[in-house]
Amino acid sequence: CLSHTAGLKDYLGTFNAMRTEPIRSREIFQRMGTMKLDFAAGTAWSYSNTGYLLATEVLENVSKEPYGRFMSERIFKPLGMTRTGTSDPNRVVKNRARGYNP
């Protein structure tokens, strides 16, 4: 999933671009679960946010912790990464670069 070779479609391309309410993980998995893979796993490469979402769900289920807390406590703090965090689009962060879709 993390190397973009699982064949998963990128969920961002399957939802209405004009949508204003958040898309819940459950809704994404329900829709994506009905779609065929773009290719057999390991045979090609295609960027997919769905793979990252799936990996996040697995991490949270196995660790029993929210993704942000897990990353902070087990990765960032032990490595001394005091200015690193996970994305929270509702939090105002000075000088943060913001992604966009054209």
Side-chain angles (χ1 to χ4, degrees), residues 13-100:
T14 66
F15 288 88
N16 184 332
M18 300 304 288
R19 185 179 177 135
T20 57
E21 69 276 0
I23 305 169
R24 305 276 180 226
S25 295
R26 176 171 290 160
E27 183 180 356
I28 292 168
F29 292 134
Q30 284 174 341
R31 180 174 297 180
M32 302 312 289
T34 64
M35 297 181 174
K36 291 184 178 185
L37 295 176
D38 285 341
F39 49 85
T43 63
W45 181 94
S46 181
Y47 188 87
S48 173
N49 288 292
T50 308
Y52 283 103
L53 183 64
L54 182 57
T56 299
E57 290 289 314
V58 169
L59 182 142
E60 289 182 339
N61 280 288
V62 170
S63 71
K64 306 292 187 229
E65 293 182 70
Y67 174 76
R69 183 182 321 143
F70 179 93
M71 295 301 291
S72 178
E73 296 298 321
R74 299 190 189 201
I75 307 293
F76 305 145
K77 285 182 183 177
L79 293 174
M81 300 170 72
T82 60
R83 300 180 66 97
T84 303
T86 56
S87 179
D88 179 353
N90 297 314
R91 197 173 108 223
V92 176
V93 178
K94 184 178 177 182
N95 297 321
R96 173 173 59 183
R98 192 145 209 189
Y100 67 93

